[in-house]
Amino acid sequence: MSDILRIARKDLAAFFGSPVAYIFIGTFLAVCLFVFFWVEAFFARNIADARPLFEWMPVLLIFLCAALTMRMWSEERRAGTLEILLTLPVPTWRLVAAKFLAALALVAIALTLTLPLPVTVSLLGPLDWGPVFGAYVATLLLAAAYLSIGLFVSSRTDNPIVALIGSVLVCALFYLLGSDALTSLVGNRGGELLRLLGSGSRFDSITRGVIDLRDLYYYASIVGVFLALTVYSLERLRWAPDSDRPAGHRRLTLITLLAAANLLAANLWLHEVDGARTDLTQGQVYTVSDATRTYLDQIQEPLLIRGYFSAQTHPLLAPLVPQIRDLLREYQVAGGGRVRVEFVDPADHPDLEREAGEQFGIRPVAFQTASKYQSGVVNSYFDLVVKYGDQFEHLGFQDLIEIKVRGENDLDVRLRNPEYDITRAIKKVLYGYQGGGDLFAGLGQPIKLRAFVSAPGQLPEPLPTLRADLEGLLGDLQAKSADRFSFSIEDPATNQALTREVEDRFGFKPLVIDLVNPTPFYFYLVLESGTRAEAVPLPESLDKAGLQRAIEAGIKRFAPGVLRTLAVYTPPQAGGEFGMPAARPDYGMLQAQLRDGFNLLETDLKTGQVPADADLLLVLGPRDLDQKQQFAMDQFLMQGGTVLVAASSFHVELGRGAISAQPQDTGLESWLAAQGLSLGKSLVLDPRNTPFPIPVQRNLGGFMVEEIQMLDYPYFPDVRAEGLSTDSGITANLGQITMNWSSPIQVDQEKTAGHRVTELIRSSSEAWTSDSTQMQPDFRAHGDLGFPSGDDQGTKILAVAVEGRFSSAFVGKPSPLLPEPSDQETEAADTAEPQTDDPDAATPTAAKPPAKPPVAPGVIESSPAAARLILIGSDSFLTDTAITLASEATQSRYLKPIELVQNAVEWSLEDRGLLTLRGRGQFSRLLEPLSREGRMAYEYLNYALALGGLALLYWLARRSRQRRDRALARYLEPASTPGKG
C-alpha cells in the first residue's frame, strides 16, 4: 500500500508541477459556475437546493476525465518510458492503482473548491444537506468510473488524441444507455433495464439523497472491470510474440475475463436487494415513516395498491416509475403481508383496463411528445389505486408529480411527496371503511354518555318525546356495543352537587324555551372517555333521527380511525355594480384538498347552529355576520369544538389591471374581543416579501404605458422559519408561507390569561401597518418599496391559536334562537281582559300564530379546557387567485396556504399522523427574498472564491515543491561537498 500511495503522490505532484492541474480545475470550476448561475438560472429558479451544480455533471465529467487520463499511459508508451515502469520491482496492478488514485484525488480537489456553492444556498434558504452529500458521493463515484475507462483506453494506444476520443465515446455510451433519448423508445420495462445500465441514471438516483448499495456497487464494478482490463492490457505488452509461457498468458486472460464477468454479474444478484440503502434526506423523504407504519398497523383486511403504468409514456414521467416501485415495496414490507402491491400495464391486461375504467374511473391521458423527426400524442396511464374493503382512492399523475417551469420548453418534473400522497389515500380508505362498519370498532377504551335531562314534566314540547327517544336510542347502542358503551340519565335540578359540577366543568346552566314561559330545564348530552369529554349538540329538528346522527357522530370523534367532518362557511355572493353580482372569493383549491382527507359540509350558519356531525368549524372570509351566525360559532366553541377563522379587515379585489381595496366588517369584532382577540383595522406591510406581478405605468413624454412587472410587494409578507412557531405542529414543518393582505392580530393578555396562546405566524421586526386603501405602489414617490413606511415598525402577529376554557360572548344575554313575541301576541297580552267567575262571560279569542320549528334555545356559558380558537389575519391568501399568483411567481405548484389549514385541522382534531409528512415537496424549499444587488453580490463572491481557491492551490503546490527541492538539496549536499583534510 505504501508503494501505491508514494507513486500516487508523485503523479499528483506531477499534475501540479505542470499546467495540467490548473487547466483541469479551472475549466471544471468555470463550467460549474456557468451552469449554476447562467444555464440553470439559480436565482430565477428560486429553489434552495444544489441540484443545478450537479445537473450537468455526468456530461461534464465525460470530457474532463477523458482529457485528464488521455496521456497517463499513451504518453508513457509514446515516450518509451513505459518499458522502464514495467521493469520496476513494483507489480503492474500497483502502478495502475496509483495512477487511478492520483487522478481521483485531483477530481476530489476540484470538487472541494465547489463547496462555496452549496454553502451559499444554505445561507439563502433551508438547504437539505443530505442530497448534497449524496451528490458529492455520486460525483466521485461517477468520476472514478470514467477515470477507470480513460485509463484503459489510454493503455491501448500511444496516441493521446485517440485515447481522448476513445474515452469520450465509451463514457458517452454508458451515459446514453440510461438517458431519456433511449429509454423512451423501449417502454417501461426496457427503459428500467437501460436505466440500470446507464451511468447518468444511477447518478440521478444517488443525488436524490438515497445511498443504495446497488448504485454503489454498480460504479465499483465498472471501476473494477476497467482497472482489471488496464492491468491485463499492460501485462500483454510484456509478452513476447514467441513467448515460451503461453499457458500462463492464457491463465491470466481467463482470470481477467472471469473477474470482469463476476463483477458485472453481481449487479444482477444485487438487483433484488431492496433494503440495503440509506436515506440521507431531512425527514427521510424516501423512506416509509413511523406515521405511515401507524396507519398500516390499523389494517385488518387486505390492502391493495395497484399501479397502472403504460410502457409508452411521456419521457419525463418514465424515470419516476422506478422510484414509485421502490417506495411501494417498502409499503409492502412494512404492511407485513396485509399490503399487496401490483404493477400492471393496461395495454397488456385488457380486463384490468376495463376494471380500472368501470370501477375506478381511470382513463388514459393524452401526452404530447416530440421526437427528432416529428411530434405526436401518446395515450398512457400513470395512476395509482389504493383499495381497502369497499373503499378506494385514485391518484392520477397530477396528484403524484410536481412541475417546475425553468423555461418555455424546459420542465423539471419530480414526484411531489409520494409517501404523503399514498399514506393520505390509505388513511382515507381506512377511515372510510371503518366509519361505515361497526360504530365501536375503533374505540381504544370504553365510552360513556352522560345525559343531564330534567324530568319529563319539566320539559317543554317536544322535548318529553325526545327524552323518551333518547332512552331508547341509548339502550340500543349499549346492547350493540359489547360493553364498550354505557350511559346515565341524571337530573341536575334534584342534585345540588350535580348542578355545581355541570356548571363548573361544562358551563351548563338551566335552559328556557321562550320569554313568555321562562320555565328552566336541563337537556344536555356529554360523551366521556378517560379524561376526555365532548358535548353532543342537540339536532335542530329535535327528532329521533337527528338525535341518533348527533350521538353517533360524537362517538366517532373518539375513534382514531374514522373520517372526520368539517363544516365550512364561505361568504355569500354580494351585489356588485349596475345590479350585477360581485365576484365572491373562490376557495375551490382549498376545499378540493380538504375533501381528500375529510368530509366537507357547507353551512351558512343562519340557523344559529353548526351541523351536528361537524368536528371542526372553518370560517373563511366572514362578512357582516349576524347574531345567529355568531351564536352558532360561539356555542360550537363552548361545546369543546375548534373554530378556525380566516378573516381580514379589508376586502381586496384584483381586476381590470388594478388592485382595489375597501374596509369591511366581519361581524365578528365583538365576539373575537370577548375571547381576547381582535383584528386591526389595517393591513401589514413587510420589506421581507414575495414578488408580485404588479401593473406599473411608465411616462414616455406624456404617453403612459402600462406594464406588468415582478416587483417586491410589501403587502405580501414572506414568513420563514424565524416567523413560524416551532412549538406547534401547525407551523413547525411549514418552512415558508406568504400572507397576502393580512390584518394584524392583537391579543388581550388579561382575557387570555390561563389560556395557552401560540403565535403561529409573525412578520419580521421591520413590518408596519397601513389603513390606506391604495394598493398600487408608487415607486417615484416612495422608492423601491412603493409605499410609505409607517411609524409602528415591529413584529406583527398574523396568525394565533388559543386553547383553553372560553367564556361565551352571550353570557347574561337571551339566546338569539329564542322566538321573539310577535306584535299580535304582545297586543293580545296587553289588551286581554281579566278572568271573571261568570261562566257565561264571553271570552275573546285570537288567531293562533303559525307553528315554528322547535329549537334548543339555551346558552352554554363556558367551554371545556379542550376548546380551541385559531385566528388567521388573512382570508385572501387561501383563495384560488392568490394561490395561482404565487404558483406563477415561483413557477411551481405553491400550496403552503392549504398546507397551513390542513395542519391546523389535523392538529385540532388530534389526528396528527400526516403532519410530519406534509410539506416535504421537492420544490417546497424556497430562497429567502433578496434584492438584485444582493443576488449579484453572492454570485460574484462565488466567482472570487473560485479564483481564490485556484490561487491557494498554486501557492500550496509551490510551497510543497520548494520543500521537496530543499529536501533534495540537503540530501545531495554531503555528496557534493569535498571532504576535509
Side-chain angles (χ1 to χ4, degrees), residues 15 24 60-73 96-109 111 139-155 163 167-168 170-171 219 222-227 230:
F15 282 138
F24 174 83
L60 173 62
L61 288 178
I62 290 176
F63 298 96
L64 293 182
C65 289
L68 184 61
T69 58
M70 68 179 186
R71 299 179 57 196
M72 296 190 76
W73 291 116
V96 172
K99 287 185 175 292
F100 169 76
L101 290 178
L104 187 61
L106 185 60
V107 174
I109 292 172
L111 274 177
T139 303
L140 282 176
L141 292 173
L142 184 64
Y146 287 167
L147 290 172
S148 64
I149 294 173
L151 286 173
F152 168 68
V153 176
S154 180
S155 70
S167 299
V168 168
V170 176
C171 294
Y219 288 112
I222 292 180
V223 172
V225 167
F226 280 97
L227 289 184
T230 303

Side-chain angles (χ1 to χ4, degrees), residues 457-461 511-521 818-819 821 857:
Q458 299 294 320
L459 297 174
E461 292 295 338
L511 305 172
V512 293
I513 192 62
D514 55 45
L515 298 177
V516 178
N517 182 23
T519 303
F521 65 93
L818 287 174

Side-chain angles (χ1 to χ4, degrees), residues 208 285-286 309 316-317 319-325 327 382 397 399-403 412-419 421-422 920-923:
R208 293 184 301 151
V285 176
Y286 299 101
F309 298 103
L316 294 178
L317 296 179
L320 307 180
V321 178
Q323 299 179 28
I324 295 177
R325 191 190 303 273
L327 181 61
F382 193 92
F397 80 97
D399 301 311
L400 295 170
I401 68 171
E402 193 170 20
I403 300 174
D412 189 2
V413 179
R414 307 184 209 173
L415 291 178
R416 182 176 62 188
N417 191 347
E419 185 184 3
D421 293 325
I422 297 171
R920 300 194 308 182
Q922 299 291 312
F923 300 118

